[in-house]
Amino acid sequence: MILDFFDLTYLCQGNERQRQAYEAMEELQIVGKLACYHPVLAGTIPLDIDLPESDLDIICEVYDAKRFEQELELHFGVCPNYACSSKTVGGLLRTVANFTHRGFAIEVFGQPKPVTEQNAYQHMVVEHRLLEMGGPEAWDAIRKLKAAGLKTELAFGRFFRLEGDPYEALLAMYDWEDARLHHFMEERNGMK
């Protein structure tokens, strides 16, 4: 099933944690308040492979970091543990705000790039496709690897036997058509 990660209502049909995440984001009106930045919830909660300590990672397309910082402060500055900073990484100015709400750690991330071109989004889309193709066995294995302490991309790298750096391998798979991804899965299944 292909998910529209831009429409958060998919969380309403998800597990209890996904529904709670939706309610927390709705209560804060994050999507509405940040609409001009095209916010998307990324990471493990949308994929149902989160751990109890997993945060809500919201990625945004931001070209005016100063204005973005001001809006974050205006809308979420009263939330517990609020902190916001910007720094240049890899030639891109990135802004990150962290705060908590209804038991969730929330991170809002912005950089001058469409969200569909950001690594977090592309990783999530590829990981979702791999999980869908891998079925319940893949979901269970990734959850177990993460519970054992592996970061998400490393867990995918181990379970799906990705060659090289799993962060880069997953990004390279983003543009693969379904047929190529199916072929990859069949090859991996033949190696078991």
Side-chain angles (χ1 to χ4, degrees):
M1 171 181 78
I2 296 175
L3 283 179
D4 176 3
F5 290 110
F6 285 88
D7 179 1
L8 289 180
T9 57
Y10 72 89
L11 295 169
C12 297
Q13 283 74 51
N15 65 35
E16 182 178 348
R17 186 119 196 261
Q18 289 171 323
R19 292 189 304 272
Q20 290 171 348
Y22 178 80
E23 291 168 8
M25 291 177 66
E26 280 295 295
E27 193 170 279
L28 288 173
Q29 300 175 4
I30 290 177
V31 173
K33 290 175 179 174
L34 299 178
C36 66
Y37 301 107
H38 315 289
V40 172
L41 177 64
T44 59
I45 291 174
L47 298 177
D48 187 19
I49 56 168
D50 54 298
L51 299 174
E53 64 273 12
S54 296
D55 59 1
L56 296 175
D57 294 313
I58 299 152
I59 58 174
C60 298
E61 177 180 354
V62 176
Y63 297 96
D64 185 341
K66 192 56 141 176
R67 180 176 149 219
F68 187 56
E69 282 186 44
Q70 292 169 345
E71 289 186 34
L72 290 169
E73 172 76 29
L74 173 70
H75 297 307
F76 312 113
V78 298
C79 293
N81 306 307
Y82 181 83
C84 184
S85 64
S86 293
K87 68 178 180 176
T88 301
V89 177
L92 293 176
L93 184 60
R94 299 174 175 192
T95 301
V96 178
N98 296 94
F99 50 94
T100 56
H101 182 69
R102 291 186 64 174
F104 284 98
I106 299 173
E107 179 174 287
V108 180
F109 173 89
Q111 66 178 336
K113 190 186 259 199
V115 292
T116 57
E117 294 176 18
Q118 294 184 27
N119 291 353
Y121 179 83
Q122 292 188 357
H123 278 163
M124 179 176 65
V125 169
V126 169
E127 290 162 1
H128 181 258
R129 292 175 68 203
L130 288 169
L131 288 168
E132 286 283 317
M133 290 180 185
E137 176 192 358
W139 252 287
D140 291 343
I142 296 297
R143 286 184 191 115
K144 286 177 184 165
L145 289 168
K146 287 182 57 57
L150 286 183
K151 295 284 187 188
T152 303
E153 286 76 13
L154 297 176
F156 275 83
R158 180 170 297 169
F159 180 76
F160 291 102
R161 293 187 292 288
L162 302 178
E163 295 178 9
D165 180 348
Y167 293 89
E168 294 303 319
L170 288 165
L171 288 177
M173 297 167 86
Y174 176 74
D175 291 322
W176 286 12
E177 293 182 9
D178 283 349
R180 185 173 180 190
L181 204 52
H182 278 293
H183 180 71
F184 167 82
M185 296 291 284
E186 288 169 2
E187 285 183 335
R188 292 302 182 256
N189 286 334
M191 293 179 174
K192 288 184 180 176

